[in-house]
Amino acid sequence: MSRFEIKIVATLLGIAVIPLVASVILVGQVIRVSNSVAAGQTQRLSVPLSHAADAYRALFVARRRVFLVSAKLLARDAALLSALGSSDREGLSRRVAELVRSRGFAGLGRLAIRGPDGKVWASAQNGKQYPAARFRDLEVNEPLGGGHLDATFYTPRAPFLNFRALGRAQRAANEITTLRDELSSIYRWVFLIMFGAVLLVATGVGIFVARRTTRQVAVLSGAVQEVAEGDLRTQVEVKGRDELADLARAFNEMVGQLRENRERIGYLEKIGAWQEIARRLAHEIKNPLTPIQLAMQQVHRKYEGDDPRFRKMLDDAHAIITEEVEGLRRLVQAFSSFARLPNVQPEPVDINALLEDFFKSHVEVTQRCKEVRWREVEPVVQVMVDRMLMKHVIYNLVENAVQAAEDAGTSEALEVEISAKRDGQRVTLQVRDNGPGMPDDVRKRIFNPYYTTKERGTGLGLAIVKKIVLEHGGSIGVDSVVGEGSTFTIRLLAVDTELEAATVRTTISRLLRDAPKAEPR
Amino acid sequence: MICGLLLAAVTPARAQTSVVAKRFSFEDRGGVLTISGGFRELFDKHLQKRLRSGFATTVVMRVYLYQQGGGKPIVVRARTLRAVYDLWEQRFVVRFEDRRGRRHRKFLRDGAVIDRLTSLWRFPLMRMAKIARARNYFVAAIVEVNPMSREVLAEVRRWLRRPSGGHEGGSESFFGSFVSIFVNNKVRRSERTWKIRSQLFYKP
Ligand SMILES: Nc1ncnc2c1ncn2[C@@H]1O[C@H](COP(=O)(O)OP(=O)(O)O)[C@@H](O)[C@H]1O
Ligand SMILES: [Mg+2]
C-alpha cells in the first residue's frame, strides 16, 4: 500500500468506525442497564419464589406429620383398646364410626381395625367423596394392642399442583436469566461481525478509490518524466471528468505547446543557417559573374577572323554563357532575397482586406489557371500579420499550385480556393487546389530549403512561407492526395482588441528574439 | 490481521463442552446390539442437591451409532428420563420414555435414581444383522440435563423479532431477525450438556 492509500483508508475507517464504536458503547450501556434492571426484577421474583417453595414443602411435611400424629393418637384411644382387648366387635365398630365422624381428626377418611388374627374386625368411612383428581391420600398403619389400626387420610391436591406450577415458573425464570446473559454476548457478537464487515468494506473502498487516483497520478508523473527526458510526443489518456482529468488535459496541451515551440525554434534555426549559406553563395557566385560575362563579350566582339566554324562555335559559346550567367543571376537573386528576408512587422489586419489586396496586386498568377477564388469571412476577422509578407505567403502557395498544374498539363482545369475561418483564439487560413497533389515522401520534405521537384525550381518558396508563418507565432501544415489536390492550412492568432494585439505583438517579438539565440544543433 | 483479532475476540463467547471418553460394553442380545455403561461422575453436587427439591430433573439422552470414518450416524436412539421426588410419598418417581414407550418406576434412594439418570442398561441400538463384520464402530452420546423448554426459546425469539413487544403484523426489526439466527445455534440450551464418546468396537 502506498502512503496515499493508507491515508485514504485510514480516513474512511475513521469515518465508518467512530460512529460504530460510539453505538457499540451506547448499546452496551443500554444492555447493561436493562440487564441489571431485569436481573433485579428476577432477583425480586426468584427469592419469594424459593420462599414459597419452602413454605409448600413445610406445609406438606406438617400435613404429613399431623396425619402421622393423628394415627398415633387414634392408636391410643382407650375405648378402642378396651373393645379390642375384650374382643367386643360391636363396641369396636361403634367407636370406629364415632371417631371417623367426630371431625376431631382432620382429613381422616377411613379407619379400620384388624384383630390379632389379621382380619378386619371393624371399619368405617366418613361418608365424604375423595376423588383422586382433587385429593391425595396417606395410608398410616399403627399397632393397636395385639392388632392393627389402618387410617387413610385425605388432603387436597391443589397445593401439590400449585407447587408444581411454582417449580415450572422457577425453571422458566432460570432459563430466561441464562438466555439473557447469553443474549448480551450474542449482541456483542453481532456487533463485532458488523464491525468487521464495516472494516472490510471501508478498507476495500478506500483501496479502490486510492488506487484509481494513484494510478492516474502515476501515469501523469511518468509522462512528466518522459517530457523531462526530452520526449515531447508524450501524451496521457484523459479519463473521467474530475480534477485529475483536467490536469491530464492541461498536461497534454502544455506538452503540445512545448513541442510546437521546439519545432518552431528548430526550424527557424535551420532556416537561419541556410540563409547564411545562401548569403555566402550569392556573394561568391555574384562577384565573378560580371567579369565572366564581360570577358565573353569581349572575346566574341574582338574576333575578326573568318573561320566560319570557329565563328559559329564562338556564337554558340556566347549564347550559352550569356544564358547560363542569366540563370545564375536569377539564382543569386533568389538566394539573396531568401538571405535577406525582412523582419516581421505585425499590425492588425482584416483578413478580407488582405485577400482583396492580394488579388489586385498579383493578377498575372491568378490568370494562369481556370479560377482562383476566395470566400469572404464573416464576421470580420482581424489577424496580427505583416501585410507584405503575408501576401508573399499567399502568393507562393498560389504560384506553387499553378506551377504544379502547369507541369502536369492541367492548368486549364485548376481551381484554387482560399478560405479563412475563426476557430477560437485562432484563425485558420486554407489554400486548396484540385491540382495533381503529391505523394507522401514529397509531402514530408516540401518545407525543407532547396527541396524541389521542378527543373528550374529553387526549393526556397515553402521554406520562406514556413519561416514567415512561424515568425508570426502561427503554424502551417499540408494535406494532399495524389490526383485530387493539396490543401495548405495556416493557423494564425486572431486579434479582437487592442490589448490582444499588444499581447500578440509581444509574443511575436519574443519569438523573433529567441529564435536566433538558440544553439544550433 | 484485523479479522484475526476480531475472531479471537469473538470465539470464546460460548463455552465449549469437551467430549468425555468412556468405556461402554456392547452385547448381542437376541439379535439386537445393546449398549450398557454409565457416566455417574458427571452428575455433580449441585444436581444431586436439587434432586430432593420436589421439582423435576429431566435428562435427555441421544445416542448415535457411527462407523469409524463414516460421516453420518447410522442410527440415533433417544431416551428421556424425568425424576421427581414426591414430597408426599417421600420417594422418587422416575419416568422413562423411549422408542418402547413410557414407564414409571419408584425409588427410595438418591443413588438409585442417579444411576438411572446417568446410565444405559442394555439399551438397544439396532439389529445385529445390520452391523458389518470386522468393521470399527463407536457410539457418541449427547446428554442434556434440564434442556431449555421449547416455549421459552420460542418466546425469546419472538421478543427479538419484535423488541417493542409489538402486536402481530408489526414490523419486525431487521437487527432482531439477524440476532435470532444466532440464538438458534449459539445459545446454551440446557443446564448441563455432556458429550460422551465410546471406545471402538467391532462384530467379530
Ligand atoms: N500545390 C502544390 N501541388 C503539388 N506540389 C506542390 C504544391 N506546392 C508545392 N509542391 C511541391 O513542393 C515543392 C517545393 O515547393 P517550393 O518550396 O515552393 O519550391 P519550388 O516551387 O521552387 O519547387 C515543389 O517542387 C512541388 O513539388
Ligand atoms: Mg515555389
Side-chain angles (χ1 to χ4, degrees):
Chain A
M1 267 208 255
S2 70
R3 276 209 219 150
F4 181 66
E5 280 171 19
I6 292 175
K7 256 189 221 167
I8 294 237
V9 169
T11 311
L12 274 176
L13 282 185
I15 291 169
V17 163
I18 289 168
L20 197 63
V21 167
S23 66
V24 167
I25 292 172
L26 211 72
V27 168
Q29 209 77 19
V30 169
I31 288 179
R32 211 164 308 133
V33 168
S34 81
N35 261 7
S36 61
V37 168
Q41 247 164 16
T42 331
Q43 196 65 30
R44 269 201 296 282
L45 253 156
S46 79
V47 171
L49 272 181
S50 78
H51 286 339
D54 287 343
Y56 272 112
R57 276 186 210 106
L59 170 72
F60 300 146
V61 170
R63 181 66 50 93
R64 209 182 134 91
R65 192 161 296 148
V66 165
F67 291 160
L68 293 179
V69 169
S70 299
K72 282 208 159 66
L73 284 177
L74 285 170
R76 298 232 179 96
D77 186 81
L80 279 183
L81 280 170
S82 71
L84 186 69
S86 58
S87 300
D88 173 12
R89 296 200 180 196
E90 202 95 323
L92 208 56
S93 291
R94 217 180 306 116
R95 183 62 185 155
V96 163
E98 226 175 77
L99 283 171
V100 166
R101 282 189 199 104
S102 73
R103 294 175 187 268
F105 297 94
L108 178 64
R110 180 176 170 277
L111 187 63
I113 308 294
R114 280 179 282 135
D117 56 356
K119 296 230 168 72
V120 176
W121 286 6
S123 80
Q125 292 183 342
N126 75 351
K128 283 191 202 148
Q129 292 294 315
Y130 294 104
R134 286 179 35 225
F135 291 93
R136 294 204 71 174
D137 60 0
L138 186 72
E139 280 183 30
V140 189
N141 185 272
E142 280 288 328
L144 179 79
H148 284 274
L149 177 145
D150 293 330
T152 307
F153 295 94
Y154 290 93
T155 183
R157 205 174 263 279
F160 292 94
L161 297 177
N162 291 346
F163 180 72
R164 237 159 77 181
L166 197 64
R168 280 200 298 269
Q170 213 175 40
R171 261 284 290 287
N174 285 343
E175 283 170 0
I176 284 166
T177 309
T178 338
L179 261 179
R180 204 193 42 228
D181 290 349
E182 304 205 351
L183 274 184
S184 57
S185 94
I186 281 172
Y187 271 105
R188 212 165 299 132
W189 238 100
V190 169
F191 261 112
L192 278 170
I193 283 174
M194 277 170 59
F195 198 80
V198 165
L199 238 57
L200 280 180
V201 168
T203 309
V205 167
I207 289 178
F208 177 74
V209 168
R211 285 265 156 90
R212 239 187 35 181
T213 311
T214 47
R215 208 189 307 117
Q216 287 178 16
V217 171
V219 166
L220 267 172
S221 81
V224 168
Q225 189 68 26
E226 280 172 31
V227 169
E229 281 163 10
D231 184 359
L232 290 179
R233 284 164 311 173
T234 307
Q235 294 277 285
V236 297
E237 201 182 330
V238 178
K239 266 191 294 198
R241 26 183 54 237
D242 54 4
E243 285 80 357
L244 276 171
D246 289 347
L247 186 60
R249 224 169 280 128
F251 174 83
N252 285 345
E253 202 166 303
M254 185 196 75
V255 173
Q257 273 169 12
L258 271 178
R259 185 178 53 224
E260 230 173 64
N261 235 0
R262 198 164 80 175
E263 275 168 13
R264 175 183 294 127
I265 289 168
Y267 190 83
L268 290 176
E269 269 170 23
K270 204 163 71 182
I271 292 292
W274 281 115
Q275 276 179 301
E276 178 60 20
I277 292 167
R279 196 183 60 78
R280 289 214 189 137
L281 270 177
H283 184 73
E284 297 296 323
I285 298 168
K286 195 173 122 191
N287 282 348
L289 278 184
T290 315
I292 289 171
Q293 202 175 19
L294 282 177
M296 188 62 224
Q297 270 169 14
Q298 221 155 26
V299 171
H300 186 246
R301 207 178 323 129
K302 289 275 166 73
Y303 180 70
E304 284 165 356
D306 49 6
D307 184 345
R309 278 172 50 217
F310 186 69
R311 178 86 244 167
K312 167 94 171 70
M313 217 172 79
L314 209 57
D315 283 348
D316 286 354
H318 180 249
I320 288 167
I321 286 175
T322 307
E323 197 193 323
E324 288 304 317
V325 165
E326 239 352 275
L328 279 174
R329 276 228 168 80
R330 268 207 315 278
L331 193 66
V332 164
Q333 184 55 42
F335 275 21
S336 49
S337 72
F338 170 56
R340 280 198 305 270
L341 274 173
N343 272 344
V344 175
Q345 300 205 320
E347 51 184 324
V349 173
D350 169 9
I351 276 238
N352 290 325
L354 180 81
L355 286 169
E356 206 171 321
D357 205 4
F358 164 75
F359 277 94
K360 266 185 206 151
S361 50
H362 294 283
V363 186
E364 47 74 36
V365 73
T366 58
Q367 282 173 349
R368 275 155 64 195
C369 62
K370 188 180 165 197
E371 190 189 10
V372 179
R373 60 171 179 272
W374 110 84
R375 283 199 197 148
E376 266 195 50
V377 194
E378 274 181 287
V380 175
V381 173
Q382 288 220 308
V383 283
M384 197 69 191
V385 293
D386 183 313
R387 201 179 260 273
M388 217 259 292
L389 289 175
M390 199 43 73
K391 266 195 305 188
H392 187 62
V393 163
I394 296 166
Y395 171 75
N396 260 327
L397 295 178
V398 174
E399 190 198 33
N400 274 349
V402 171
Q403 281 179 353
E406 280 171 351
D407 288 356
T410 59
S411 61
E412 293 294 299
L414 182 75
E415 291 171 27
V416 181
E417 186 188 270
I418 307 172
S419 62
K421 71 168 190 280
R422 179 76 188 253
D423 180 11
Q425 288 285 80
R426 305 197 161 211
V427 174
T428 309
L429 190 68
Q430 275 192 334
V431 177
R432 182 197 306 267
D433 67 60
N434 62 351
M438 48 193 141
D440 260 10
D441 59 319
V442 173
R443 189 182 54 79
K444 277 180 193 146
R445 294 153 74 188
I446 56 173
F447 292 110
N448 292 348
Y450 308 112
Y451 178 77
T452 181
T453 57
K454 296 164 198 166
E455 225 169 297
R456 313 214 68 174
T458 59
L460 290 174
L462 288 178
I464 292 170
V465 163
K466 182 158 180 181
K467 179 178 151 72
I468 292 170
V469 170
L470 292 185
E471 280 181 348
H472 276 87
S475 64
I476 182 164
V478 62
D479 278 319
S480 187
V481 179
V482 174
E484 283 183 18
S486 313
T487 304
F488 285 83
T489 304
I490 297 172
R491 283 204 175 76
L492 293 169
L493 296 169
V495 188
D496 287 329
T497 63
E498 266 312 299
L499 184 70
E500 279 184 47
T503 321
V504 174
R505 208 172 297 148
T506 34
T507 309
I508 291 172
S509 61
R510 206 181 55 219
L511 271 171
L512 292 173
R513 200 181 58 233
D514 287 353
K517 272 190 209 148
E519 292 283 317
R521 235 158 295 173
Chain B
M1 174 208 61
I2 302 164
C3 299
L5 281 181
L6 262 180
L7 280 184
V10 152
T11 339
R14 173 141 157 65
Q16 227 62 46
T17 22
S18 54
V19 177
V20 182
K22 290 248 80 179
R23 265 200 98 72
F24 287 88
S25 63
F26 297 94
E27 270 182 282
D28 174 358
R29 292 192 62 84
V32 174
L33 174 70
T34 64
I35 179 173
S36 305
F39 33 89
R40 195 190 158 128
E41 72 280 3
L42 297 177
F43 202 87
D44 53 71
K45 277 264 148 44
H46 182 76
L47 293 175
Q48 289 176 28
K49 252 170 65 190
R50 259 236 317 264
L51 218 47
R52 275 183 187 261
S53 67
F55 297 143
T57 298
T58 309
V59 172
V60 177
M61 302 181 187
R62 283 189 199 83
V63 183
Y64 305 81
L65 175 65
Y66 286 94
Q67 197 171 67
Q68 192 186 22
K72 280 187 186 157
I74 301 166
V75 76
V76 186
R77 293 278 175 262
R79 161 175 278 186
T80 304
L81 299 108
R82 188 167 172 282
V84 187
Y85 182 69
D86 187 336
L87 291 166
W88 188 244
E89 296 196 351
Q90 299 199 330
R91 58 188 170 186
F92 292 97
V93 180
V94 178
R95 188 180 79 191
F96 298 78
E97 209 172 344
D98 56 28
R99 252 156 61 91
R100 289 173 296 184
R102 187 187 269 202
R103 302 180 302 288
H104 290 89
R105 285 189 60 190
K106 297 186 173 175
F107 298 92
L108 283 175
R109 289 186 309 107
D110 299 39
V113 174
I114 295 170
D115 272 345
R116 294 310 181 287
L117 292 181
T118 59
S119 66
L120 293 161
W121 177 245
R122 291 178 176 169
F123 184 66
L125 290 175
M126 87 189 282
R127 303 238 335 271
M128 275 308 279
K130 289 194 177 170
I131 304 283
R133 263 171 215 290
R135 281 283 186 74
N136 279 333
Y137 291 87
F138 68 91
V139 161
I142 294 179
V143 180
E144 291 180 324
V145 181
N146 293 331
M148 195 158 286
S149 57
R150 251 175 248 175
E151 295 77 19
V152 170
L153 264 179
E155 198 169 347
V156 167
R157 249 177 245 136
R158 213 159 42 238
W159 291 341
L160 284 174
R161 281 200 297 271
R162 295 200 181 75
S164 49
H167 42 276
E168 206 62 30
S171 71
E172 296 193 349
S173 108
F174 161 75
F175 193 65
S177 319
F178 189 44
V179 171
S180 83
I181 294 171
F182 284 86
V183 173
N184 290 347
N185 34 38
K186 278 282 150 215
V187 149
R188 192 163 43 133
R189 286 143 175 273
S190 58
E191 221 176 300
R192 305 275 191 286
T193 302
W194 303 322
K195 290 180 181 168
I196 301 161
R197 191 187 186 283
S198 80
Q199 79 278 20
L200 291 175
F201 67 95
Y202 64 95
K203 178 165 133 185

